Amino acid sequence: MNEDVTSKLITIDSKEMPKQFFEVEWELQDNIDVTTIHLDNYVPSFSHRDEVVVNPISGWNILIRDGTEVHDLELAIKKFLSNAQLANYYGSSKPKLKIKFELNLGEIWISLIDNVATQELASFTRTAEAITTRFSNAHPSIFAEYDELYDLSVLVHGSTTFKSSEATIVTTTQVKNDQSKKTSIKVKKPRINKTINTTYLQFLTGEKAEIDKILAIFLNHQNGKIISDLSDDELALILQSRSRKMLPSTINGLRYIGKGQPRLVLGKYVLPFDGEEATKEANLAEIIFGKQRDITETVTYEEIFETLEGKNAENDEFAQIAGRKWLDLDKNEQKSCIKDYKQRMRQLNYRLGAMLGLGETKALVAVDSGIAIDHRLLQK
């Protein structure tokens, strides 16, 4: 693959990435030692076998492949609890910690809840908005010799937010040398709401087919410039199979050719119209793509009707009205014609979808006055 192509940064919206969410509520003990919190497959060394290991997410079914999957979450929990202890947010009740985690992009939601007042005392979130990578970032993992894993490094762009609610924290202390005396101190904590933009590195590890699917997601959401810079062989190398959905961002060059076998052509992609059943679709394709026009404009039902007059008169019931203009038709006749044109459009959409791998995207859409091309396929 060309180096200048694979080295280009490509970005997608975070919502395009498949998500895996995990949640847990953790009842906290007084003055928990945050250094005992370990979320991965932590095995103490022989000299530390007697140390306590706390893992609040032990019930999560997370496959640990490279050991970094929950590293950021562990650091976030430790820092969050340390700050809560320093700020004395524990108060006189045992609070609980709500933890939510998204595995693929490393999104984090942590909140400290007062069990007595059922009030959120503080929260920390790290959420993703966009993801950037390069095609060349995919490479065999250091664990590849065991199960042929691949790594894809991505930059996640998002925001980090810390919030704390306005709350009155009550603490009870004993007076030194007099165990019978206790003092209660009420401290009013101000509300805090701070958000900063953040970018962090995330490693996606999986079998080659899994990484290829992720690269396909990036590819399918790029503009025409990125895709046009890739050759067919390069696309095939990334997607592994032409049967994968491959959405061209522009069909400005799509043309109908009527000489010989009628067909639509876009570069190396060819859609032939075979047999009598394809005649109606071919006629509509010729009207839309058979001549130079501004394809951002709607092809009106009036133009379609008047162009189809006389075509295949012996087979096309609508051509039997030859010699009349669209405006001469009554409402029922127009409605019947529009129904026929929409059926042609649906059949042509099936063919275009198979030709170009459009997936759920339909190239042609019905509007009030006629048929238009989906604007997403007209971007330059």
Side-chain angles (χ1 to χ4, degrees):
M1 187 177 298
N2 296 336
E3 184 176 349
D4 60 336
V5 172
T6 60
S7 64
K8 286 184 178 180
L9 291 172
I10 51 177
T11 301
I12 61 173
D13 194 296
S14 64
K15 67 183 180 181
E16 307 298 343
M17 182 67 67
K19 302 292 184 74
Q20 298 185 62
F21 292 100
F22 299 87
E23 297 183 61
V24 70
E25 290 190 6
W26 179 26
E27 298 289 342
L28 295 171
Q29 301 300 316
D30 291 334
N31 299 318
I32 183 172
D33 183 357
V34 298
T35 64
T36 64
I37 299 173
H38 298 281
L39 306 188
D40 58 7
N41 297 329
Y42 176 73
V43 179
S45 64
F46 182 80
S47 60
H48 295 82
R49 286 298 170 94
D50 294 331
E51 291 184 358
V52 175
V53 176
V54 178
N55 185 356
I57 68 166
S58 59
W60 290 358
N61 186 24
I62 290 181
L63 179 61
I64 303 296
R65 282 171 161 170
D66 63 12
T68 65
E69 284 84 355
V70 294
H71 178 69
D72 284 2
L73 178 61
E74 179 179 309
L75 294 180
I77 292 173
K78 288 182 175 181
K79 184 175 181 180
F80 181 82
L81 286 180
S82 295
N83 290 337
Q85 288 174 343
L86 289 173
N88 203 20
Y89 264 107
Y90 277 45
S92 58
S93 64
K94 293 180 180 179
K96 64 182 176 182
L97 201 67
K98 286 187 175 182
I99 305 170
K100 182 178 178 181
F101 181 61
E102 196 288 304
L103 179 61
N104 291 338
L105 299 182
E107 295 177 288
I108 298 171
W109 295 263
I110 304 172
S111 58
L112 184 67
I113 308 297
D114 186 320
N115 271 336
V116 175
T118 63
Q119 174 188 15
E120 182 180 88
L121 302 174
S123 67
F124 168 85
T125 62
R126 184 177 79 173
T127 54
E129 296 173 6
I131 325 158
T132 298
T133 193
R134 293 184 176 92
F135 292 137
S136 58
N137 283 5
H139 54 82
S141 170
I142 60 173
F143 302 101
E145 60 181 294
Y146 300 107
D147 50 7
E148 298 184 350
L149 297 178
Y150 272 68
D151 288 332
L152 176 65
S153 58
V154 300
L155 284 177
V156 182
H157 315 283
S159 59
T160 299
T161 299
F162 176 77
K163 295 181 181 180
S164 66
S165 301
E166 184 178 77
T168 300
I169 307 300
V170 179
T171 60
T172 301
T173 60
Q174 292 181 334
V175 178
K176 189 176 181 181
N177 299 325
D178 189 347
Q179 299 299 321
S180 64
K181 291 184 179 181
K182 294 182 180 181
T183 60
S184 294
I185 303 173
K186 292 183 178 181
V187 179
K188 192 170 187 179
K189 300 290 185 181
R191 183 187 301 273
I192 299 174
N193 190 340
K194 183 179 181 181
T195 300
I196 60 173
N197 293 329
T198 185
T199 297
Y200 55 94
L201 183 65
Q202 183 81 355
F203 282 96
L204 305 176
T205 300
E207 296 178 359
K208 192 172 188 302
E210 297 176 79
I211 300 301
D212 285 342
K213 287 181 180 179
I214 295 174
L215 286 173
I217 293 172
F218 275 93
L219 181 64
N220 289 342
H221 291 85
Q222 297 311 301
N223 59 31
K225 176 59 179 172
I226 293 291
I227 293 178
S228 64
D229 284 345
L230 301 175
S231 69
D232 286 348
D233 290 339
E234 289 167 341
L235 288 171
L237 182 62
I238 294 171
L239 299 179
Q240 294 300 307
S241 170
R242 280 306 182 89
S243 64
R244 297 266 181 92
K245 293 177 181 178
M246 184 175 62
L247 174 63
S249 64
T250 173
I251 59 171
N252 291 343
L254 188 62
R255 290 289 178 265
Y256 175 86
I257 298 176
K259 294 182 179 179
Q261 183 180 29
R263 61 200 182 277
L264 282 171
V265 177
L266 177 61
K268 295 181 180 181
Y269 299 95
V270 179
L271 169 64
F273 293 98
D274 297 315
E276 294 183 0
E277 293 182 0
T279 299
K280 289 187 175 183
E281 301 157 52
N283 289 343
L284 182 60
E286 181 179 5
I287 294 170
I288 299 175
F289 301 108
K291 62 181 180 180
Q292 293 293 329
R293 65 161 68 243
D294 182 356
I295 59 176
T296 64
E297 296 182 355
T298 299
V299 180
T300 65
Y301 292 130
E302 180 177 1
E303 178 185 353
I304 296 173
F305 171 78
E306 294 181 3
T307 305
L308 286 178
E309 277 189 301
K311 277 185 175 290
N312 305 309
E314 67 279 10
N315 298 320
D316 190 343
E317 59 180 302
F318 299 99
Q320 302 299 328
I321 350 176
R324 300 176 63 186
K325 299 296 182 183
W326 178 256
L327 296 179
D328 294 335
L329 304 181
D330 61 38
K331 289 185 177 180
N332 287 334
E333 289 175 318
Q334 287 186 353
K335 189 174 180 179
S336 180
C337 288
I338 290 173
K339 182 179 179 181
D340 172 67
Y341 303 153
K342 286 184 177 180
Q343 178 60 30
R344 296 174 189 240
M345 180 192 74
R346 284 191 291 271
Q347 292 300 119
L348 186 54
N349 268 334
Y350 293 144
R351 291 177 178 267
L352 289 171
M355 171 190 179
L356 302 173
L358 299 181
E360 296 299 320
T361 301
K362 299 296 184 289
L364 304 175
V365 293
V367 295
D368 289 342
S369 59
I371 294 173
I373 296 175
D374 189 319
H375 67 90
R376 290 174 293 178
L377 299 176
L378 298 176
Q379 298 171 359
K380 295 183 179 179

